[in-house]
Amino acid sequence: MTGLPPFVDRLRLPVIAAPMFIVSTPDLVIAQCKAGIVGSFPALNARPQSELDEWLHRIAEELAAWDRAHPETPAAPFAVNQIVHRSNARLDADLATCAAHKVPIVITSLGAREDVNHAVHGWGGVTLHDVIHDRFARKAVEKGADGLIAVAAGAGGHAGRLSPFALVQEIRAWFAGPLILSGAIATGRAILAAQAMGADLAYIGSPFIATDEANASAAYKQSIVAAGADDIVYSSLFTGVHGNYLRASIVAAGLDPDALPEGERSTMDFTSGAAKAWRDIWGAGQGIGAVTAVEPARRRIERLITEYAGAKAELARKTGLC
């Protein structure tokens, strides 16, 4: 895919809400889509597997009802995240459920698979694959991904180590397709900056933890509000893959955040043990310093829209561009 997918025209803001393990459920996804950005959730959040069918039915029905009542501001589409690592024993069943509902966007993580991309294209969906460096990006496109999510340093969850400037410029040197940037993006100004450096859309996760609709404890939400970039710890201990976590939650678990051992990638498991790890150890990205209150997702998105418009106007004044 060399141009942007058609769903971009339906967005009020060039943003995809990142799928967050445990945190992203239909309440949050529906609120995000109604407010004009792509909402998403990991398929593994629906437990047991049969619940995925119920989630997709509810999301589709509520967004269709919104569109009928608000034809002037139709909802954005939604996305489902699929972990394609071999540890995910549910992948085939989850893909079959997504096929039955013709899920419009599928975000794949932890491995690029040609058969998965082919399956999604078979029902007319778009695939986006998250990558942490250029080598993985090339492999994903070779295997049929329509677009790439560049997960740079500072992103919540399983983040990379590279500067967003370095990662985006290397990918853009050869890839003209849809490119989404992830990494500490929490303001309208940051969304515009992502586009200025070459991305088409921004990928935002952690700020949505501190929303009314998020499936997170009150303590987790308040920790997002209270913390800043210095409170984020990068570690592979909890899932076997490096990610960013809130220091306070690591301390509360009786661990020393400054002396964590390395995790074992060979024991990575996203269907059992990882759920407990992510429940007790809270993921977050470095952009949370911009989050000052728990509020409805729509209010946060409306603020981002206002900030984004203001940033464009300010940039035009500074550069003389219109």
Side-chain angles (χ1 to χ4, degrees), residues 110 132 157-159 235-245 263-265 268 270:
L110 295 174
I132 59 173
H158 294 126
S235 174
S236 65
L237 173 62
F238 307 108
T239 65
V241 178
H242 275 93
N244 283 315
Y245 304 91
E264 291 291 335
R265 192 181 181 99
M268 182 174 14
F270 291 93

Side-chain angles (χ1 to χ4, degrees), residues 92-129:
D92 289 344
D94 286 345
L95 275 176
T97 303
C98 287
H101 289 268
K102 292 183 168 56
V103 169
I105 307 165
V106 172
I107 298 168
T108 54
S109 305
L110 295 174
R113 285 180 45 176
E114 188 172 0
D115 60 327
V116 172
N117 291 322
H118 181 73
V120 176
H121 294 156
W123 72 70
V126 171
T127 59
L128 305 174
H129 187 69

Side-chain angles (χ1 to χ4, degrees), residues 219-237:
Y220 189 179
K221 295 179 183 183
Q222 287 301 324
S223 290
I224 295 291
V225 173
D230 284 346
D231 299 302
I232 302 302
V233 177
Y234 190 64
S235 174
S236 65
L237 173 62

Side-chain angles (χ1 to χ4, degrees), residues 1-6 8 146-147 175-179 200:
M1 179 177 290
T2 56
L4 291 178
V8 173
D146 297 304
F175 182 63
L179 179 59
D200 297 300

Side-chain angles (χ1 to χ4, degrees), residues 97-254:
T97 303
C98 287
H101 289 268
K102 292 183 168 56
V103 169
I105 307 165
V106 172
I107 298 168
T108 54
S109 305
L110 295 174
R113 285 180 45 176
E114 188 172 0
D115 60 327
V116 172
N117 291 322
H118 181 73
V120 176
H121 294 156
W123 72 70
V126 171
T127 59
L128 305 174
H129 187 69
D130 63 21
V131 298
I132 59 173
H133 52 64
D134 186 68
R135 180 168 57 88
F136 284 172
R138 291 176 183 271
K139 183 180 295 186
V141 172
E142 288 172 1
K143 294 192 175 183
D146 297 304
L148 299 169
I149 301 168
V151 186
H158 294 126
R161 299 177 184 269
L162 296 179
S163 158
F165 290 97
L167 187 54
V168 169
Q169 72 187 12
E170 288 191 1
I171 293 173
R172 272 296 182 231
W174 59 271
F175 182 63
L179 179 59
I180 301 93
L181 179 62
S182 172
I185 300 174
T187 65
R189 187 185 299 273
I191 296 167
L192 184 61
Q195 290 184 303
M197 73 172 71
D200 297 300
L201 301 100
Y203 203 60
I204 301 178
S206 300
F208 289 110
I209 298 170
T211 59
D212 295 344
E213 298 87 351
N215 184 39
S217 68
Y220 189 179
K221 295 179 183 183
Q222 287 301 324
S223 290
I224 295 291
V225 173
D230 284 346
D231 299 302
I232 302 302
V233 177
Y234 190 64
S235 174
S236 65
L237 173 62
F238 307 108
T239 65
V241 178
H242 275 93
N244 283 315
Y245 304 91
L246 281 167
R247 175 177 292 268
S249 69
I250 297 172
V251 172

Side-chain angles (χ1 to χ4, degrees), residues 58-71:
R58 179 190 165 195
I59 291 169
E61 286 294 309
E62 292 201 27
L63 295 185
W66 171 270
D67 289 351
R68 290 191 296 271
H70 304 85

